[in-house]
Amino acid sequence: MNKKLLSRIAWYGLIALIIIPFLFPLFWIVSSSFKTQSQIVASPPLWVFRPTLENYKGVFMDQNFGIYLMNSSIIAIGSTLLSLLIGIPAAYAISRYKMQTLGVFILIARLMPGISFLIPWFILFSKIRLIDTYTALIASHMLVGLPLIVWIMINYFDGLPRELEESALIDGCTLQGAFVRVYLPISGPGILTATTLSFLFSWNNFMFSLVLSAQRTKTLPIAIYNFVSYAEVNWGSVMAAAVVIIAPAIVLTMVFQRYVIKGLTMGAVKG
Amino acid sequence: MNINRFVERNLRWIFPLPAATFIILMLVFPVLYTFYVSLTNWDMISSGAVSFVGLDNYLAMLKEPRFYNAIGLTFYFTLLAVGLETVFGVIIALILNREFRGKNLVKFILLLPLVATPVAIGLSWTLFYEPTIGLANYALKLLGIPGLKWLASNATVIPSLALVDIWQWTPMISLIVLAGLAGLPQDPYEAAIVDGARPLQVVRHITLPLLRPTILIAVALRSIDALKTFDIIYVMTSGGPGFASETLNIYAYSLSFGYFRFGAASASLVALFAIVLGCCVILLKMRKSQEL
């Protein structure tokens, strides 16, 4: 009995040893966001303190984070929805007709360094006055979301039985009818995986927004980055801003944990 | 009715058409354009007309010490980060590969670094590394080790940046390997247990060889992403001190949007493509040969 208890304690000690390094920096960001500047720079570090909401107040009242939060949401939701709209039918066709070449072609978008598109985009978007518009940002973020969505959905459609389609066709459905009435309704889990990942990647995107956005469409990652260009860094505000950006991603992950894991590890485990 | 018939007959072309058009407009055309720009003297500073200069940008690039420095640092960063991520990631996955209470919570915690916004993470680690007020040097002091300059010294800047990458991406390797472990056949284990093999022997002679394909793919995917690391490095050091953390990505970015020398920048981008593409080809080959 005692031996069993001891081995249990040892086991959970080992688990703690594994997760603490991954958890601690996040814990420190959250706790610093409730500190004053002098509490943050205190040495030795303060473990117990009276939390203040000043940093959050500053971030939302003086720094307009509400607007950036909205910009980030519009761009992440917009690019995800549009990518789903054109990506799911494409994935269906690629899976049904085994169009390998097209599949690989779309995968290349996932592997290419993002910066390789930035110069032409910048030149082109400047010419047609699209810099600092939602259109340009949504389109650029779609290049990240679309390949993810297509590849997740190809895998998902590959796993569905073909007989479904045959029986729908016998019932008088067209092919596209079978897709809409039979395949789409049972693709919920795949679509959820694709949607969550596409949203997260757009939400976290920095490079495309850095070049293509300015005052009107500035997203959260750019807003927080601008904080540190001042001579004296107000660390409390930076940490509060970091919490504001990271929190939605974490909440989403908490709700859709299974789907996030599936999306991130897929393709690596099965082909 | 006729339209329906038309769609049905041509579904294989109509369904992928919007996505393919989008990719051609936003990816293929820009990449070709980058090739074209790399052959010109295009920059935003001199007002002269853009003229065709052939391979001049490439020849100049090959004479540029900053270019070689960037290639070396890119590989140094990638090898250091991905190497350690693989070792830690696999060890963690092997430990977690059993049923226990709270396993889902542990997996959720491992997901947190992966989904946390890199810019926010980069800035927070900048504070940890801050030589006078940062936690990193405080921790070293507790251990009786003199403080480091972390991001501010040539010798430590790449390892410091790699550490952030390791923190963020080790869980990815763990999760991939855990998924791979779940799919392994059970028979070899039963045989080994019957033969009286010890746990470490089982891991070494059965688990790791069976996992090889999964680990290789995870490493390849992670390497391709690590070669392209931008957010963390740009936010934390912008390539400094001097050029001590200027990887290819950062170098190309600063040529294009720091100096607006689009021609020269495009040449370095073509070099970056070539490297990433080379890794992709290796990845695809590996996938085929492993029958994955």
Side-chain angles (χ1 to χ4, degrees), chain B residues 8-248:
Chain B
E8 173 150 34
R9 265 198 214 136
N10 297 289
L11 188 103
R12 76 178 293 177
W13 308 116
I14 292 172
F15 266 29
L17 190 66
T21 312
F22 178 80
I23 298 270
I24 289 170
L25 277 178
M26 290 291 286
L27 177 106
V28 179
F29 170 68
V31 167
L32 294 176
Y33 198 72
T34 300
F35 273 107
Y36 160 72
V37 174
S38 78
L39 301 174
T40 70
N41 64 351
W42 196 322
D43 67 45
M44 294 274 272
I45 293 146
S46 61
S47 49
V50 174
S51 62
F52 193 75
V53 297
L55 293 175
D56 280 6
N57 285 321
Y58 292 92
L59 295 175
M61 178 176 81
L62 292 175
K63 282 191 213 131
E64 175 66 68
R66 254 174 96 178
F67 173 69
Y68 295 102
N69 176 55
I71 289 190
L73 290 175
T74 304
F75 281 103
Y76 176 28
F77 173 83
T78 302
L79 289 176
L80 187 62
V82 178
L84 289 172
E85 279 157 26
T86 309
V87 174
F88 294 144
V90 171
I91 292 175
I92 290 172
L94 289 173
I95 293 174
L96 295 181
N97 185 36
R98 59 183 247 196
E99 288 316 309
F100 60 92
R101 236 191 220 225
K103 186 167 177 174
N104 274 335
L105 181 67
V106 172
K107 275 198 191 165
F108 170 65
I109 290 170
L110 287 180
L111 271 181
L112 296 180
L114 292 173
V115 300
T117 314
V119 183
I121 293 304
L123 291 175
S124 316
W125 278 79
T126 308
L127 174 60
F128 297 141
Y129 283 146
E130 168 65 37
T132 47
I133 62 170
L135 273 184
N137 273 348
Y138 176 75
L140 289 185
K141 212 169 76 185
L142 288 182
L143 299 169
I145 302 168
L148 292 173
K149 285 204 251 159
W150 302 102
L151 301 172
S153 119
N154 286 357
T156 52
V157 63
I158 289 284
S160 302
L161 291 168
L163 182 60
V164 182
D165 199 76
I166 292 165
W167 176 78
Q168 203 174 13
W169 293 105
T170 296
M172 167 102 150
I173 307 256
S174 295
L175 291 171
I176 289 175
V177 172
L178 265 177
L181 281 165
L184 290 188
Q186 288 310 306
D187 322 354
Y189 288 94
E190 282 155 19
I193 290 164
V194 171
D195 290 346
R198 274 176 303 172
L200 274 183
Q201 286 177 319
V202 174
V203 166
R204 203 178 137 207
H205 295 291
I206 300 177
T207 312
L208 286 182
L210 284 174
L211 271 182
R212 226 176 71 103
T214 308
I215 296 175
L216 277 177
I217 298 289
V219 168
L221 281 175
R222 192 74 269 293
S223 304
I224 287 170
D225 280 344
L227 286 171
K228 304 185 295 186
T229 305
F230 179 78
D231 304 13
I232 294 279
I233 303 179
Y234 184 78
V235 162
M236 294 181 72
T237 66
S238 304
F243 305 120
S245 63
E246 191 177 68
T247 56
L248 262 182

Side-chain angles (χ1 to χ4, degrees), chain A residues 222-234 238, chain B residues 123 235:
Chain A
I222 309 304
I224 189 182
Y225 175 67
N226 289 348
F227 269 22
V228 291
S229 25
Y230 303 117
E232 177 127 357
V233 181
N234 182 350
V238 174
Chain B
L123 291 175
V235 162

